[in-house]
Amino acid sequence: MKKSIFILSVIFCVACQKVDDVHNKNADQRGTNEEVYPENLSDIGYYHNEILKNYISISKTPSLLSTNSESDDFIKLMADYGTSVCMAYKRNPPAGNIDKWVGNIINMSLSGRQYSILNNILNNDMSISAAVNNAYGKEVVPAIVQNYLDEIDRVVEQYAGTYSFDNQLKLLHLRYIRSTTDSNERQLFNYVYYVASGSYEYWDTQHSTWSPHLSGRFWKDLYNSGRYLLDSDISGAVDYILGTMIVGAIMTWKVCVAYAAASSVVAGVEVLLEDFRNKTKSVTVIPNNVTFGEVYDAYLIRKQELGL
């Protein structure tokens, strides 16, 4: 029996090593465009998590911004989010004016499908795949991407909160990377994998920073808080990539990370800080009367308040 366990352990370790080898090989073949991929693919998860760390710290810092209404609360949330993005990329800024860059991401977030997808995940209990298909139309989402999202849903549902999650996510990524030579599809699989991996690491270790009463039961609490947050985060990455693919634009990792983090921040506030399952009404993910100009002006004020 011990011999059988040993053999199985060796096989599993070899499989995981092959996963890592393929990740490294993909990194070697990604080309020289640092806007498309970072120097280290793990930076995708790192910067994503830096935005979340910055947000929860900034959100607790006093501000003169009004919080007298639901709209005011959302404007401050997005201003704090924008400031968190700016801080995360301070030492590795995107090309051009960083405030305009952050403003473009905020505008993309407010005017796109992001909050429709979040609404269906948080209010209608949709899976990632169902929420994305609902937003884009099933005929628009490539079959291989639909299958990938279905399998991510399964991995999250079955393994989140267990020691097997990371390896199951890796093996899924390896299988799909090997299944296509299409550069857009491979980019989607890479971005989503590293966002999902980073998101899982962050929420698994830092959820008590947001909600201390969930310590030790985050993935198995009554309301599936962990699944909602991870699903929201992954959906943000998928939404950015699909939207970019449809219009034929170039996907960049920094925008993907920041855009996905917006989904994570909004879901984190609603699920953990607002305790949304105890509300008598559905979560209003984005108030209808909020404009980009209001959010961007608040972002600039917030930066000034924090001395950035």
Side-chain angles (χ1 to χ4, degrees):
M1 182 68 175
K2 289 182 179 178
K3 183 176 180 181
S4 299
I5 293 173
F6 174 75
I7 292 171
L8 287 173
S9 299
V10 169
I11 292 172
F12 186 74
C13 289
V14 169
C16 290
Q17 181 61 51
K18 287 183 178 179
V19 172
D20 291 332
D21 289 345
V22 169
H23 288 168
N24 293 332
K25 184 178 180 181
N26 288 338
D28 292 338
Q29 294 177 345
R30 66 179 179 267
T32 58
N33 190 343
E34 64 178 14
E35 292 298 315
V36 175
Y37 282 111
E39 183 176 350
N40 297 305
L41 289 174
S42 60
D43 281 351
I44 292 173
Y46 170 79
Y47 280 97
H48 168 275
N49 293 355
E50 284 298 297
I51 294 171
L52 297 186
K53 289 176 186 177
N54 291 342
Y55 175 81
I56 194 61
S57 176
I58 289 171
S59 68
K60 297 175 181 178
T61 305
S63 174
L64 295 178
L65 292 175
S66 174
T67 53
N68 293 325
S69 68
E70 192 173 66
S71 296
D72 288 341
D73 288 342
F74 183 79
I75 289 169
K76 182 179 181 299
L77 182 159
M78 291 302 290
D80 287 346
Y81 154 75
T83 309
S84 303
V85 173
C86 184
M87 286 181 63
Y89 289 124
K90 189 175 182 180
R91 295 182 180 179
N92 184 17
N97 183 294
I98 191 167
D99 289 332
K100 290 183 179 179
W101 187 85
V102 171
N104 286 336
I105 295 174
I106 291 173
N107 193 36
M108 187 191 313
S109 178
L110 294 175
S111 60
R113 299 174 175 86
Q114 187 167 31
Y115 296 105
S116 170
I117 292 172
L118 280 177
N119 177 66
N120 279 324
I121 289 174
L122 298 178
N123 284 331
N124 299 326
D125 207 28
M126 283 191 184
S127 66
I128 304 167
S129 178
V132 169
N133 282 333
N134 181 269
Y136 281 89
K138 195 169 184 179
E139 68 282 356
V140 174
V141 183
I144 190 171
V145 175
Q146 290 185 29
N147 293 337
Y148 181 61
L149 296 182
D150 286 338
E151 294 209 53
I152 282 185
D153 284 327
R154 176 186 60 79
V155 169
V156 172
E157 187 70 30
Q158 293 184 12
Y159 297 103
T162 73
Y163 291 112
S164 300
F165 179 83
D166 286 330
N167 285 321
Q168 290 294 328
L169 196 64
K170 270 189 177 183
L171 291 170
L172 178 64
H173 176 63
L174 170 63
R175 180 153 53 85
Y176 274 86
I177 279 290
R178 285 178 168 173
S179 70
T180 182
T181 58
D182 183 275
S183 60
N184 283 333
E185 291 173 355
R186 291 173 71 88
Q187 198 169 349
L188 182 147
F189 299 144
N190 277 325
Y191 280 12
V192 171
Y193 168 73
Y194 283 99
V195 165
S197 180
S199 176
Y200 183 79
E201 177 186 9
Y202 178 83
W203 290 116
D204 191 47
T205 59
Q206 301 299 317
H207 61 268
S208 59
T209 306
W210 293 60
S211 184
H213 74 278
L214 283 178
S215 181
R217 58 191 184 90
F218 177 66
W219 297 106
K220 301 298 179 184
D221 78 308
L222 181 62
Y223 303 121
N224 287 320
S225 298
R227 181 179 70 80
Y228 281 111
L229 293 174
L230 193 54
D231 282 0
S232 297
D233 222 341
I234 294 170
S235 75
V238 174
D239 177 30
Y240 164 73
I241 298 164
L242 284 177
T244 307
M245 286 171 62
I246 287 172
V247 299
I250 296 174
M251 290 181 274
T252 67
W253 71 272
K254 288 179 182 176
V255 176
C256 182
V257 165
Y259 191 87
S263 292
S264 202
V265 164
V266 172
V269 169
E270 298 291 357
V271 174
L272 300 182
L273 301 188
E274 299 294 337
D275 202 13
F276 81 118
R277 287 303 177 185
N278 288 331
K279 290 185 176 181
T280 57
K281 62 179 182 177
S282 297
V283 176
T284 304
V285 176
I286 175 172
N288 292 327
N289 58 339
V290 170
T291 67
F292 164 71
E294 291 175 307
V295 174
Y296 188 69
D297 288 346
Y299 156 70
L300 294 177
I301 291 171
R302 203 67 178 110
K303 275 190 67 183
Q304 188 174 27
E305 287 180 340
L306 295 166
L308 297 176

